[in-house]
Amino acid sequence: MNPDYDVRDPRFRDYLLGNCAVEKLYTGTLWAEGPVYFCDGDFLLWSDIPNNRILKWTAGAGVTEYRRPSDYSNGHTRDREGRLVSCEHGARRVTRTEWDGSVTVLAESYQGKRLNSPNDVVVKSDGTVWFTDPPYGILSDYEGYKADSEIGANYVYRLDPKACDLTVVADDFDKPNGLAFSPDEKTLYIADTGASHDPDGPRHIRAFQVAEDNSLSGGEVFAVCDAGLFDGFRLDEDGNIWSSAGDGVHCFSPAGELLGKIRIPEKVSNVAFGGAKKNRLFVTATTSLYAVYLNRRGVQWP
């Protein structure tokens, strides 16, 4: 078996391509984050937060700067129309980049108070935008601008862009971080990285049941990280979670069983499926961008 893989469960072998190694596609960031793939353009965007820029990797053409300054953007996704949706630490908001390049503000305050520093975001099939709002971008001047929290708490939000309605869907997190829906959208997984500033804080992913009215229930701990912290993650077509961690990418079954790990030589922040067949896992890890082909397709729209 390829030394890049750490098999913990025999089922993990079925997801791997033994002759495919982890590739380093780029290095030169201070903290790489927020990868999102554009299958229709065959390119990947990701954030270099401290350098206040978004980078673009294009197959066969290498890396260029997509946006600078980027308002210290962190997590990205695409809505169901294919537009880029971004979390901005510096401006403390969630935005959408329109096809003409203009930027629309989707959310920047709650009950008249500025958001902390939106971190990661997903868009549900009904068009609602779900994002986490921990304080990482306002804790220092490194990934944003140091400031006090106006809200005084770290919430998970749901935005209905049509109604311009912003709702708190979870209010019991220390530092909510990555989030993603199961393939059928009946489960929402949310990471808590509270251990980043408290050794005894949470370092886990929780699972919530999503009702027809988009309310959440449950919230049981799904998996606990055994190496660093879970940050960003995405799911494959079988419902497995592929999550960032301190020693690489961890793969969990829908039942929360650790199937195996992909070893990465840097601390991993986030992942995204992409490529023409959506079977290539792109990995942002501290200073670099990596990729590896898998024997499964990711859940990604469009």
PDB file of all heavy atoms in Angstrom, residues 173-204:
ATOM      1  N   PHE A 173     -21.971  26.362  20.486  1.00  0.00           N
ATOM      2  CA  PHE A 173     -20.616  26.024  20.073  1.00  0.00           C
ATOM      3  C   PHE A 173     -19.600  26.924  20.760  1.00  0.00           C
ATOM      4  O   PHE A 173     -19.889  28.081  21.076  1.00  0.00           O
ATOM      5  CB  PHE A 173     -20.462  26.161  18.555  1.00  0.00           C
ATOM      6  CG  PHE A 173     -20.973  24.981  17.774  1.00  0.00           C
ATOM      7  CD1 PHE A 173     -22.334  24.819  17.555  1.00  0.00           C
ATOM      8  CD2 PHE A 173     -20.098  24.029  17.281  1.00  0.00           C
ATOM      9  CE1 PHE A 173     -22.812  23.743  16.834  1.00  0.00           C
ATOM     10  CE2 PHE A 173     -20.560  22.949  16.557  1.00  0.00           C
ATOM     11  CZ  PHE A 173     -21.915  22.795  16.332  1.00  0.00           C
ATOM     12  N   ASP A 174     -18.405  26.396  20.975  1.00  0.00           N
ATOM     13  CA  ASP A 174     -17.294  27.212  21.443  1.00  0.00           C
ATOM     14  C   ASP A 174     -16.761  28.019  20.260  1.00  0.00           C
ATOM     15  O   ASP A 174     -16.855  29.242  20.234  1.00  0.00           O
ATOM     16  CB  ASP A 174     -16.203  26.314  22.035  1.00  0.00           C
ATOM     17  CG  ASP A 174     -15.081  27.094  22.684  1.00  0.00           C
ATOM     18  OD1 ASP A 174     -14.911  28.287  22.361  1.00  0.00           O
ATOM     19  OD2 ASP A 174     -14.336  26.516  23.505  1.00  0.00           O
ATOM     20  N   LYS A 175     -16.222  27.322  19.258  1.00  0.00           N
ATOM     21  CA  LYS A 175     -15.756  27.978  18.036  1.00  0.00           C
ATOM     22  C   LYS A 175     -16.194  27.151  16.833  1.00  0.00           C
ATOM     23  O   LYS A 175     -15.457  26.289  16.346  1.00  0.00           O
ATOM     24  CB  LYS A 175     -14.239  28.160  18.068  1.00  0.00           C
ATOM     25  CG  LYS A 175     -13.759  29.185  19.097  1.00  0.00           C
ATOM     26  CD  LYS A 175     -12.259  29.345  19.065  1.00  0.00           C
ATOM     27  CE  LYS A 175     -11.831  30.487  19.996  1.00  0.00           C
ATOM     28  NZ  LYS A 175     -12.207  30.263  21.389  1.00  0.00           N
ATOM     29  N   PRO A 176     -17.406  27.387  16.332  1.00  0.00           N
ATOM     30  CA  PRO A 176     -17.889  26.633  15.174  1.00  0.00           C
ATOM     31  C   PRO A 176     -17.009  26.909  13.964  1.00  0.00           C
ATOM     32  O   PRO A 176     -16.564  28.046  13.750  1.00  0.00           O
ATOM     33  CB  PRO A 176     -19.314  27.177  14.973  1.00  0.00           C
ATOM     34  CG  PRO A 176     -19.271  28.558  15.552  1.00  0.00           C
ATOM     35  CD  PRO A 176     -18.332  28.469  16.722  1.00  0.00           C
ATOM     36  N   ASN A 177     -16.757  25.875  13.179  1.00  0.00           N
ATOM     37  CA  ASN A 177     -15.804  26.019  12.087  1.00  0.00           C
ATOM     38  C   ASN A 177     -16.357  25.420  10.798  1.00  0.00           C
ATOM     39  O   ASN A 177     -17.340  25.900  10.263  1.00  0.00           O
ATOM     40  CB  ASN A 177     -14.470  25.391  12.513  1.00  0.00           C
ATOM     41  CG  ASN A 177     -13.283  25.987  11.799  1.00  0.00           C
ATOM     42  OD1 ASN A 177     -13.253  26.063  10.578  1.00  0.00           O
ATOM     43  ND2 ASN A 177     -12.288  26.424  12.558  1.00  0.00           N
ATOM     44  N   GLY A 178     -15.780  24.321  10.292  1.00  0.00           N
ATOM     45  CA  GLY A 178     -16.246  23.729   9.049  1.00  0.00           C
ATOM     46  C   GLY A 178     -17.645  23.156   9.166  1.00  0.00           C
ATOM     47  O   GLY A 178     -18.084  22.755  10.256  1.00  0.00           O
ATOM     48  N   LEU A 179     -18.352  23.091   8.033  1.00  0.00           N
ATOM     49  CA  LEU A 179     -19.692  22.504   8.024  1.00  0.00           C
ATOM     50  C   LEU A 179     -19.993  21.965   6.635  1.00  0.00           C
ATOM     51  O   LEU A 179     -19.469  22.455   5.634  1.00  0.00           O
ATOM     52  CB  LEU A 179     -20.754  23.498   8.486  1.00  0.00           C
ATOM     53  CG  LEU A 179     -21.186  24.643   7.560  1.00  0.00           C
ATOM     54  CD1 LEU A 179     -22.406  25.357   8.162  1.00  0.00           C
ATOM     55  CD2 LEU A 179     -20.092  25.628   7.271  1.00  0.00           C
ATOM     56  N   ALA A 180     -20.854  20.948   6.587  1.00  0.00           N
ATOM     57  CA  ALA A 180     -21.239  20.337   5.308  1.00  0.00           C
ATOM     58  C   ALA A 180     -22.477  19.490   5.522  1.00  0.00           C
ATOM     59  O   ALA A 180     -22.693  18.928   6.607  1.00  0.00           O
ATOM     60  CB  ALA A 180     -20.112  19.482   4.732  1.00  0.00           C
ATOM     61  N   PHE A 181     -23.287  19.367   4.466  1.00  0.00           N
ATOM     62  CA  PHE A 181     -24.483  18.527   4.498  1.00  0.00           C
ATOM     63  C   PHE A 181     -24.164  17.120   4.010  1.00  0.00           C
ATOM     64  O   PHE A 181     -23.263  16.918   3.181  1.00  0.00           O
ATOM     65  CB  PHE A 181     -25.572  19.114   3.594  1.00  0.00           C
ATOM     66  CG  PHE A 181     -26.265  20.321   4.160  1.00  0.00           C
ATOM     67  CD1 PHE A 181     -25.906  21.600   3.743  1.00  0.00           C
ATOM     68  CD2 PHE A 181     -27.269  20.183   5.103  1.00  0.00           C
ATOM     69  CE1 PHE A 181     -26.538  22.712   4.253  1.00  0.00           C
ATOM     70  CE2 PHE A 181     -27.910  21.293   5.629  1.00  0.00           C
ATOM     71  CZ  PHE A 181     -27.545  22.564   5.203  1.00  0.00           C
ATOM     72  N   SER A 182     -24.936  16.164   4.501  1.00  0.00           N
ATOM     73  CA  SER A 182     -24.895  14.806   3.970  1.00  0.00           C
ATOM     74  C   SER A 182     -25.477  14.840   2.553  1.00  0.00           C
ATOM     75  O   SER A 182     -26.150  15.801   2.166  1.00  0.00           O
ATOM     76  CB  SER A 182     -25.713  13.863   4.851  1.00  0.00           C
ATOM     77  OG  SER A 182     -27.070  14.294   4.908  1.00  0.00           O
ATOM     78  N   PRO A 183     -25.232  13.801   1.745  1.00  0.00           N
ATOM     79  CA  PRO A 183     -25.738  13.817   0.362  1.00  0.00           C
ATOM     80  C   PRO A 183     -27.239  14.054   0.244  1.00  0.00           C
ATOM     81  O   PRO A 183     -27.692  14.699  -0.702  1.00  0.00           O
ATOM     82  CB  PRO A 183     -25.335  12.438  -0.167  1.00  0.00           C
ATOM     83  CG  PRO A 183     -24.110  12.096   0.609  1.00  0.00           C
ATOM     84  CD  PRO A 183     -24.363  12.630   1.990  1.00  0.00           C
ATOM     85  N   ASP A 184     -28.032  13.541   1.202  1.00  0.00           N
ATOM     86  CA  ASP A 184     -29.486  13.734   1.148  1.00  0.00           C
ATOM     87  C   ASP A 184     -29.939  14.989   1.886  1.00  0.00           C
ATOM     88  O   ASP A 184     -31.140  15.262   1.973  1.00  0.00           O
ATOM     89  CB  ASP A 184     -30.211  12.503   1.693  1.00  0.00           C
ATOM     90  CG  ASP A 184     -29.884  12.211   3.163  1.00  0.00           C
ATOM     91  OD1 ASP A 184     -29.189  13.040   3.808  1.00  0.00           O
ATOM     92  OD2 ASP A 184     -30.303  11.146   3.656  1.00  0.00           O
ATOM     93  N   GLU A 185     -28.995  15.743   2.432  1.00  0.00           N
ATOM     94  CA  GLU A 185     -29.242  16.995   3.158  1.00  0.00           C
ATOM     95  C   GLU A 185     -30.101  16.812   4.403  1.00  0.00           C
ATOM     96  O   GLU A 185     -30.654  17.776   4.922  1.00  0.00           O
ATOM     97  CB  GLU A 185     -29.866  18.058   2.228  1.00  0.00           C
ATOM     98  CG  GLU A 185     -28.965  18.464   1.078  1.00  0.00           C
ATOM     99  CD  GLU A 185     -29.516  19.605   0.258  1.00  0.00           C
ATOM    100  OE1 GLU A 185     -30.754  19.733   0.148  1.00  0.00           O
ATOM    101  OE2 GLU A 185     -28.714  20.391  -0.278  1.00  0.00           O
ATOM    102  N   LYS A 186     -30.182  15.600   4.902  1.00  0.00           N
ATOM    103  CA  LYS A 186     -30.936  15.357   6.132  1.00  0.00           C
ATOM    104  C   LYS A 186     -30.071  15.488   7.377  1.00  0.00           C
ATOM    105  O   LYS A 186     -30.580  15.493   8.496  1.00  0.00           O
ATOM    106  CB  LYS A 186     -31.577  13.965   6.079  1.00  0.00           C
ATOM    107  CG  LYS A 186     -32.666  13.836   5.018  1.00  0.00           C
ATOM    108  CD  LYS A 186     -33.306  12.465   5.040  1.00  0.00           C
ATOM    109  CE  LYS A 186     -34.415  12.350   3.990  1.00  0.00           C
ATOM    110  NZ  LYS A 186     -35.049  11.003   3.993  1.00  0.00           N
ATOM    111  N   THR A 187     -28.754  15.592   7.188  1.00  0.00           N
ATOM    112  CA  THR A 187     -27.824  15.761   8.303  1.00  0.00           C
ATOM    113  C   THR A 187     -26.876  16.912   7.984  1.00  0.00           C
ATOM    114  O   THR A 187     -26.385  17.027   6.861  1.00  0.00           O
ATOM    115  CB  THR A 187     -27.003  14.489   8.539  1.00  0.00           C
ATOM    116  OG1 THR A 187     -27.888  13.389   8.767  1.00  0.00           O
ATOM    117  CG2 THR A 187     -26.096  14.642   9.751  1.00  0.00           C
ATOM    118  N   LEU A 188     -26.651  17.771   8.969  1.00  0.00           N
ATOM    119  CA  LEU A 188     -25.663  18.829   8.852  1.00  0.00           C
ATOM    120  C   LEU A 188     -24.561  18.547   9.868  1.00  0.00           C
ATOM    121  O   LEU A 188     -24.823  18.420  11.067  1.00  0.00           O
ATOM    122  CB  LEU A 188     -26.282  20.201   9.129  1.00  0.00           C
ATOM    123  CG  LEU A 188     -25.307  21.391   9.099  1.00  0.00           C
ATOM    124  CD1 LEU A 188     -24.721  21.586   7.706  1.00  0.00           C
ATOM    125  CD2 LEU A 188     -26.003  22.671   9.575  1.00  0.00           C
ATOM    126  N   TYR A 189     -23.343  18.456   9.369  1.00  0.00           N
ATOM    127  CA  TYR A 189     -22.177  18.229  10.220  1.00  0.00           C
ATOM    128  C   TYR A 189     -21.473  19.570  10.452  1.00  0.00           C
ATOM    129  O   TYR A 189     -21.279  20.347   9.517  1.00  0.00           O
ATOM    130  CB  TYR A 189     -21.209  17.256   9.561  1.00  0.00           C
ATOM    131  CG  TYR A 189     -21.783  15.892   9.280  1.00  0.00           C
ATOM    132  CD1 TYR A 189     -22.292  15.577   8.027  1.00  0.00           C
ATOM    133  CD2 TYR A 189     -21.819  14.912  10.268  1.00  0.00           C
ATOM    134  CE1 TYR A 189     -22.826  14.328   7.758  1.00  0.00           C
ATOM    135  CE2 TYR A 189     -22.345  13.658  10.017  1.00  0.00           C
ATOM    136  CZ  TYR A 189     -22.851  13.366   8.760  1.00  0.00           C
ATOM    137  OH  TYR A 189     -23.373  12.121   8.501  1.00  0.00           O
ATOM    138  N   ILE A 190     -21.092  19.832  11.711  1.00  0.00           N
ATOM    139  CA  ILE A 190     -20.424  21.089  12.055  1.00  0.00           C
ATOM    140  C   ILE A 190     -19.256  20.782  12.986  1.00  0.00           C
ATOM    141  O   ILE A 190     -19.407  20.077  13.984  1.00  0.00           O
ATOM    142  CB  ILE A 190     -21.379  22.075  12.750  1.00  0.00           C
ATOM    143  CG1 ILE A 190     -22.669  22.269  11.941  1.00  0.00           C
ATOM    144  CG2 ILE A 190     -20.691  23.420  12.963  1.00  0.00           C
ATOM    145  CD1 ILE A 190     -23.722  23.104  12.656  1.00  0.00           C
ATOM    146  N   ALA A 191     -18.085  21.327  12.662  1.00  0.00           N
ATOM    147  CA  ALA A 191     -16.901  21.141  13.503  1.00  0.00           C
ATOM    148  C   ALA A 191     -16.848  22.219  14.581  1.00  0.00           C
ATOM    149  O   ALA A 191     -17.288  23.350  14.376  1.00  0.00           O
ATOM    150  CB  ALA A 191     -15.640  21.194  12.645  1.00  0.00           C
ATOM    151  N   ASP A 192     -16.267  21.849  15.716  1.00  0.00           N
ATOM    152  CA  ASP A 192     -16.005  22.803  16.794  1.00  0.00           C
ATOM    153  C   ASP A 192     -14.515  22.726  17.110  1.00  0.00           C
ATOM    154  O   ASP A 192     -14.009  21.677  17.499  1.00  0.00           O
ATOM    155  CB  ASP A 192     -16.835  22.468  18.031  1.00  0.00           C
ATOM    156  CG  ASP A 192     -16.876  23.625  19.041  1.00  0.00           C
ATOM    157  OD1 ASP A 192     -15.907  24.402  19.084  1.00  0.00           O
ATOM    158  OD2 ASP A 192     -17.875  23.746  19.777  1.00  0.00           O
ATOM    159  N   THR A 193     -13.805  23.853  16.922  1.00  0.00           N
ATOM    160  CA  THR A 193     -12.356  23.883  17.127  1.00  0.00           C
ATOM    161  C   THR A 193     -12.001  24.713  18.363  1.00  0.00           C
ATOM    162  O   THR A 193     -11.001  25.427  18.383  1.00  0.00           O
ATOM    163  CB  THR A 193     -11.654  24.462  15.883  1.00  0.00           C
ATOM    164  OG1 THR A 193     -12.268  25.710  15.516  1.00  0.00           O
ATOM    165  CG2 THR A 193     -11.761  23.511  14.708  1.00  0.00           C
ATOM    166  N   GLY A 194     -12.799  24.591  19.395  1.00  0.00           N
ATOM    167  CA  GLY A 194     -12.547  25.332  20.621  1.00  0.00           C
ATOM    168  C   GLY A 194     -11.213  25.024  21.255  1.00  0.00           C
ATOM    169  O   GLY A 194     -10.664  25.846  22.002  1.00  0.00           O
ATOM    170  N   ALA A 195     -10.650  23.843  20.959  1.00  0.00           N
ATOM    171  CA  ALA A 195      -9.353  23.471  21.525  1.00  0.00           C
ATOM    172  C   ALA A 195      -8.212  24.299  20.947  1.00  0.00           C
ATOM    173  O   ALA A 195      -7.076  24.201  21.423  1.00  0.00           O
ATOM    174  CB  ALA A 195      -9.087  21.982  21.287  1.00  0.00           C
ATOM    175  N   SER A 196      -8.492  25.124  19.939  1.00  0.00           N
ATOM    176  CA  SER A 196      -7.437  25.980  19.388  1.00  0.00           C
ATOM    177  C   SER A 196      -6.922  26.973  20.423  1.00  0.00           C
ATOM    178  O   SER A 196      -5.762  27.389  20.366  1.00  0.00           O
ATOM    179  CB  SER A 196      -7.956  26.748  18.163  1.00  0.00           C
ATOM    180  OG  SER A 196      -9.014  27.633  18.534  1.00  0.00           O
ATOM    181  N   HIS A 197      -7.770  27.357  21.376  1.00  0.00           N
ATOM    182  CA  HIS A 197      -7.376  28.323  22.396  1.00  0.00           C
ATOM    183  C   HIS A 197      -7.588  27.807  23.816  1.00  0.00           C
ATOM    184  O   HIS A 197      -7.310  28.518  24.778  1.00  0.00           O
ATOM    185  CB  HIS A 197      -8.148  29.635  22.204  1.00  0.00           C
ATOM    186  CG  HIS A 197      -7.682  30.420  21.021  1.00  0.00           C
ATOM    187  ND1 HIS A 197      -7.957  30.041  19.722  1.00  0.00           N
ATOM    188  CD2 HIS A 197      -6.935  31.556  20.938  1.00  0.00           C
ATOM    189  CE1 HIS A 197      -7.414  30.924  18.890  1.00  0.00           C
ATOM    190  NE2 HIS A 197      -6.801  31.841  19.593  1.00  0.00           N
ATOM    191  N   ASP A 198      -8.078  26.589  23.936  1.00  0.00           N
ATOM    192  CA  ASP A 198      -8.275  25.953  25.247  1.00  0.00           C
ATOM    193  C   ASP A 198      -7.946  24.476  25.100  1.00  0.00           C
ATOM    194  O   ASP A 198      -8.674  23.752  24.422  1.00  0.00           O
ATOM    195  CB  ASP A 198      -9.721  26.132  25.716  1.00  0.00           C
ATOM    196  CG  ASP A 198     -10.005  25.428  27.040  1.00  0.00           C
ATOM    197  OD1 ASP A 198      -9.075  24.824  27.620  1.00  0.00           O
ATOM    198  OD2 ASP A 198     -11.158  25.468  27.492  1.00  0.00           O
ATOM    199  N   PRO A 199      -6.851  23.998  25.690  1.00  0.00           N
ATOM    200  CA  PRO A 199      -6.464  22.587  25.536  1.00  0.00           C
ATOM    201  C   PRO A 199      -7.572  21.609  25.881  1.00  0.00           C
ATOM    202  O   PRO A 199      -7.606  20.492  25.351  1.00  0.00           O
ATOM    203  CB  PRO A 199      -5.277  22.440  26.489  1.00  0.00           C
ATOM    204  CG  PRO A 199      -4.724  23.820  26.634  1.00  0.00           C
ATOM    205  CD  PRO A 199      -5.911  24.741  26.553  1.00  0.00           C
ATOM    206  N   ASP A 200      -8.474  22.015  26.758  1.00  0.00           N
ATOM    207  CA  ASP A 200      -9.576  21.148  27.155  1.00  0.00           C
ATOM    208  C   ASP A 200     -10.847  21.426  26.348  1.00  0.00           C
ATOM    209  O   ASP A 200     -11.904  20.867  26.630  1.00  0.00           O
ATOM    210  CB  ASP A 200      -9.880  21.324  28.647  1.00  0.00           C
ATOM    211  CG  ASP A 200      -8.697  20.919  29.528  1.00  0.00           C
ATOM    212  OD1 ASP A 200      -8.038  19.920  29.188  1.00  0.00           O
ATOM    213  OD2 ASP A 200      -8.442  21.610  30.524  1.00  0.00           O
ATOM    214  N   GLY A 201     -10.753  22.284  25.352  1.00  0.00           N
ATOM    215  CA  GLY A 201     -11.908  22.636  24.552  1.00  0.00           C
ATOM    216  C   GLY A 201     -12.250  21.567  23.534  1.00  0.00           C
ATOM    217  O   GLY A 201     -11.506  20.597  23.337  1.00  0.00           O
ATOM    218  N   PRO A 202     -13.364  21.719  22.841  1.00  0.00           N
ATOM    219  CA  PRO A 202     -13.811  20.711  21.874  1.00  0.00           C
ATOM    220  C   PRO A 202     -12.900  20.627  20.659  1.00  0.00           C
ATOM    221  O   PRO A 202     -12.365  21.633  20.189  1.00  0.00           O
ATOM    222  CB  PRO A 202     -15.218  21.183  21.491  1.00  0.00           C
ATOM    223  CG  PRO A 202     -15.233  22.640  21.802  1.00  0.00           C
ATOM    224  CD  PRO A 202     -14.337  22.826  22.980  1.00  0.00           C
ATOM    225  N   ARG A 203     -12.752  19.400  20.156  1.00  0.00           N
ATOM    226  CA  ARG A 203     -12.001  19.128  18.927  1.00  0.00           C
ATOM    227  C   ARG A 203     -12.758  18.052  18.145  1.00  0.00           C
ATOM    228  O   ARG A 203     -12.230  16.991  17.833  1.00  0.00           O
ATOM    229  CB  ARG A 203     -10.564  18.703  19.248  1.00  0.00           C
ATOM    230  CG  ARG A 203     -10.450  17.518  20.195  1.00  0.00           C
ATOM    231  CD  ARG A 203      -8.991  17.134  20.461  1.00  0.00           C
ATOM    232  NE  ARG A 203      -8.302  18.069  21.341  1.00  0.00           N
ATOM    233  CZ  ARG A 203      -7.258  18.815  20.956  1.00  0.00           C
ATOM    234  NH1 ARG A 203      -6.799  18.719  19.718  1.00  0.00           N
ATOM    235  NH2 ARG A 203      -6.686  19.642  21.807  1.00  0.00           N
ATOM    236  N   HIS A 204     -14.019  18.325  17.879  1.00  0.00           N
ATOM    237  CA  HIS A 204     -14.884  17.295  17.319  1.00  0.00           C
ATOM    238  C   HIS A 204     -15.798  17.834  16.214  1.00  0.00           C
ATOM    239  O   HIS A 204     -15.862  19.038  15.960  1.00  0.00           O
ATOM    240  CB  HIS A 204     -15.729  16.647  18.427  1.00  0.00           C
ATOM    241  CG  HIS A 204     -16.533  17.621  19.253  1.00  0.00           C
ATOM    242  ND1 HIS A 204     -16.508  17.638  20.630  1.00  0.00           N
ATOM    243  CD2 HIS A 204     -17.369  18.624  18.890  1.00  0.00           C
ATOM    244  CE1 HIS A 204     -17.309  18.593  21.076  1.00  0.00           C
ATOM    245  NE2 HIS A 204     -17.846  19.200  20.038  1.00  0.00           N
TER     246      HIS A 204
END
